Amino acid sequence: MTTECEVLVLGGGGAGCSAALHLAQRGVKVVLLERGLVGSQASGVNYGGVRQQGRHPAELPIARRSREIWGRLKEITGTEAEFTVTGHLKLARSDAEEAELIAYLDVAKQHGLPLRMVGRNAIHREYPWLGPAVVAGSFAPEDGSANPRLLAPALARAARAAGAEIREHTKVVSHHHAAGRFELTSEADEVFRAPVLLNMAGFWGGAVADAFGEPVPVRPLSPNMMVTEPAPYFIEPNLGVVGGNVYLRQIPRGNVILGGGHGESDPAVPWSRPLPEVTLEALEHAVRLVPALAGVQVIRSWSGIDGKMPDGIPVIGPSRTTPGLFHAFGFSGHGFQLGPAIGAILSELVLDGRTDTPLEAFRIDRFQAAA
Amino acid sequence: MRVAVVGAGPAGVRAVEVLVAAGHRPVWIDEAPEGGGRIYQRPPAPLQRDAKTLYGFEAKRATALHAAFDALKTRADWRPETLAWHIRAGAKRLHTLHRGAQGVVDYDAALLCTGAMDRVIPVPGWTQPGVTTLGGAQIALKAQGCGIGRRVAFLGSGPLLWLIAYQYAKAGAEVVAVLDTTPFATKAAAAPRLLRGGATFAKGLFYVGWLRAHRVRVAEGVTPLAIEGGAEGVTGLRWRDAAGREHEVACDAVGMGWGLKPEAQLADLAGIPFRFDALQHNWVPQRDAAGRTPIAGHYLAGDGAGIGGAEVAELAGARAALALLQDAGQAVDATTVARLDAALAQQQRFRAALDRAFPFPAHLAAALPDDAILCRCEGLRAGELRAAARADNAAGPAPEMNRAKAFSRTGMGRCQGRVCGAAAAEILAAELGQPVKAIGRLRGQPPVKPMPIPAPRPAREAVS
């Protein structure tokens, strides 16, 4: 069986589903191919941070744009995916870390990101439950968190409603490009053809790029995630630290969601799981930040697979080898917040041939010079 | 060779017995302070009573198993009160928790004898104080020397229902009703095959006969309607009889259960594939008749490998330990292996008849009213799970169990679906119009049971 369409999207994470939605809204015949269920990997099993603070400066224009979409998510998809604006509090545990927070204030200012320094005296007054290890923090009031399990499925449902075809359980085993058309073949021998292909396949996006002659040094990345039983609600902001070895948030029903470090994975299966030693280390970091967490029970841990680039920022933009091919993958553990905007940006690249959002830093050929 | 055995119930004890006899000193882990497992759980010293009172017909087996355990625990690296909260089959490492202290056990071969737990079907009102599983009711009696109430009703299906009702009545509790959801005809149809079980079958008949003779209210083929209650807990149980009439009995406690399900989380985490056993109506980890799994170096025995009961567990524990030794190149006694294989095969035929006699009443689970609590950890009602499967769900319809969990939170609480999972699967399958085995099962995620966040360690500065 052969399916013809105008745009093929490879990968049903948050970004891919958003791309399908934005394209379908502009009348494009789009088919999204997903190996499992949408949102099964990085964008569906992550921490759920909707965070702009602390991002690489090159990512901030995308994050700003995505934050605006997050604010309209309910109107777009019918659910806000539990997006809550709690603010994000990034903590310093040493003088050097505090200096880093101060330095970022300028970056935030340049991009119009509201950010407030909470100094040594104020931090324990404003957040009396923080442990003595904390020396300062910076607070981003626009940031918050959402439920990652809901984002991609909700975007996929909205995309379907707008006319996109979302094909789950469709594993693509070969990619070709000839005479201006991409031809993808699934494991079940189904053929999909289109003049435009969006490579939004997360870690596996590396193999797709490779198939079109532009290999990139992407590696699998598996977050070490945990959740506790419900405890009395007291941690309002989403918490992070300079260096990123732990991050945690509490939802009003009481569960504390926390992560830190990386687990193990086998992308070929695909299979991923937290590492026990890393779990215990993350718990140690967490209880130093918030000592009242001692004794609260961890009830579940999980992981997923994302693609990590050597410089920690994704590949976004047109292929340098194949006309009609666009990449957006390798979000390096922080693509959840960006997903909605990435879809909008790729729809512009496809339909308008340009976008106002600067993408220069994300060029796929940036690794070649170094090689 | 470093061998780890998880579980000191009937399977674990007999497995360690074989391993010790072959010259090994296995690391032996159990969550309980003493061996015996759930079925032969021993009361703490101040509540000690004679074996006959505690275990009835099973007194001899219990006494023999305890004696074997007592003789073995100094010859193994016995680690009581220890939870194996994760296993990494690739690294051959178990992660343990003992009184708040983390530990690891590295092994060359692991034998998992992790037992079973009650299989529960929620009934409206089941989360009130006074409602207990059948197994819980039995442990209260055996290990704590107390009952779950003064006027107790028992509800469910399977041999345990009648046994526990009998034990309660013998112990002096007022058993106000024994309500079996299995119709008499179903059991009668399986009776000829059950006769092959010999003594086990006779014991079952004895309990039923004794209860009837002592004028305990007994009904078969019932449909439970609700557990009634007030501020103080349970006040009564309502049901519909086989002829369609409604009844209510006043009681202050309800013990309920529908057979057992394997506690197979470690097997799951070890990556052992599962299959749906249609007769047991349970997902069970794959193993051969000797207990070998598709993951080299990992063996299963006892109810954790598929429900067989305590007698089977003893045989299977010994057999799996012999398989482990065989695979390690050690000589084993061929006669013993043949005897165990024959006994296990015979028991399996009896077990199949038992499963036919007491089929899991999936229809009762699937019919749980929308407003009844399904997942008690998360306070979720059956209707919320059904909603996650419907096309108008905001995130789209959930086509399988783990997606339904992700959308609805069913099975996301402290018990991780161990209690509500079986019923939740029936509800989802019915809503999707699929057979229950087609919608998958809740995947295992560490820790196996809740694990406390340790207190912060003193900062280095403070120590120096």
Side-chain angles (χ1 to χ4, degrees), chain B residues 114-455:
Chain B
T114 45
M117 65 176 283
D118 290 84
R119 188 165 51 179
V120 169
I121 296 174
V123 172
W126 71 295
T127 55
Q128 300 177 87
V131 183
T132 311
T133 62
L134 289 175
Q138 194 181 37
I139 282 170
L141 199 60
K142 276 196 294 207
Q144 303 298 327
C146 66
I148 59 171
R150 287 194 173 78
R151 308 187 70 220
V152 186
F154 290 101
L155 167 69
S157 169
L160 207 57
L161 174 69
W162 300 95
L163 168 63
I164 291 166
Y166 165 77
Q167 289 173 330
Y168 264 71
K170 282 284 276 187
E174 188 188 346
V175 177
V176 297
V178 184
L179 305 174
D180 190 339
T181 56
T182 310
F184 174 73
T186 308
K187 286 179 277 190
R193 284 203 187 87
L194 277 174
L195 285 170
R196 290 193 200 130
T200 308
F201 183 59
K203 279 179 274 179
L205 287 181
F206 171 81
Y207 301 136
V208 179
W210 190 94
L211 288 163
R212 286 190 192 275
H214 287 74
R215 301 184 182 284
V216 171
R217 186 170 185 178
V218 167
E220 288 162 302
V222 309
T223 303
L225 295 175
I227 297 166
E228 306 290 351
E232 301 292 306
V234 171
T235 58
L237 175 62
R238 270 196 309 121
W239 75 93
R240 194 162 53 228
D241 67 22
R245 289 181 298 261
E246 273 195 30
H247 302 269
E248 180 164 359
V249 67
C251 58
D252 61 10
V254 174
M256 64 177 201
W258 284 263
L260 301 173
K261 60 197 278 276
E263 280 276 80
Q265 298 94 327
L266 281 178
D268 195 0
L269 293 175
I272 296 164
F274 278 54
R275 66 181 177 86
F276 188 74
D277 183 317
L279 210 51
Q280 285 188 16
H281 210 81
N282 272 325
W283 286 94
V284 298
Q286 278 181 26
R287 57 169 173 91
D288 68 9
R292 291 182 183 90
T293 73
I295 308 291
H298 295 79
Y299 302 81
L300 302 172
D303 280 349
I307 305 304
E311 284 188 52
V312 172
E314 286 192 50
L315 299 167
R319 183 62 187 90
L322 287 167
L324 187 159
L325 294 172
Q326 284 173 309
D327 295 350
Q330 273 189 253
V332 300
D333 177 33
T335 322
T336 310
V337 169
R339 181 180 57 78
L340 288 169
D341 283 343
L344 282 166
Q346 202 232 324
Q347 286 282 350
Q348 197 177 346
R349 287 190 289 274
F350 172 64
R351 187 70 218 178
L354 208 58
D355 288 331
R356 282 196 187 90
F358 300 102
F360 180 66
H363 62 283
L364 292 181
L368 187 67
D370 273 349
D371 61 351
I373 296 274
L374 164 65
C375 168
R376 63 179 183 177
C377 299
E378 295 290 303
L380 278 169
R381 291 169 200 280
E384 292 174 78
L385 174 60
R386 292 193 178 103
R390 283 200 291 266
D392 62 353
N393 182 47
E400 53 91 38
M401 200 59 223
N402 287 298
R403 200 33 74 110
K405 169 184 170 180
F407 288 171
S408 71
R409 309 192 64 84
T410 305
M412 275 200 174
R414 282 185 62 108
C415 89
Q416 291 293 293
R418 289 160 66 234
V419 174
C420 70
E426 301 299 340
I427 289 170
L428 182 67
E431 188 66 30
L432 293 170
Q434 301 258 3
V436 72
K437 72 172 182 188
I439 59 149
R441 62 190 179 88
L442 292 172
R443 70 173 80 88
Q445 291 174 272
V448 162
K449 286 184 183 166
M451 184 171 82
I453 298 179

Side-chain angles (χ1 to χ4, degrees), chain A residues 66 70 96 107 143 157 160 166 175 199 239 288 356 363:
Chain A
S66 216
W70 276 100
V107 177
D143 287 351
R157 181 169 179 261
R160 273 196 179 105
I166 309 287
H175 323 75
N199 171 21
L239 297 183
R288 279 190 74 210
D356 288 339
R363 294 165 58 102

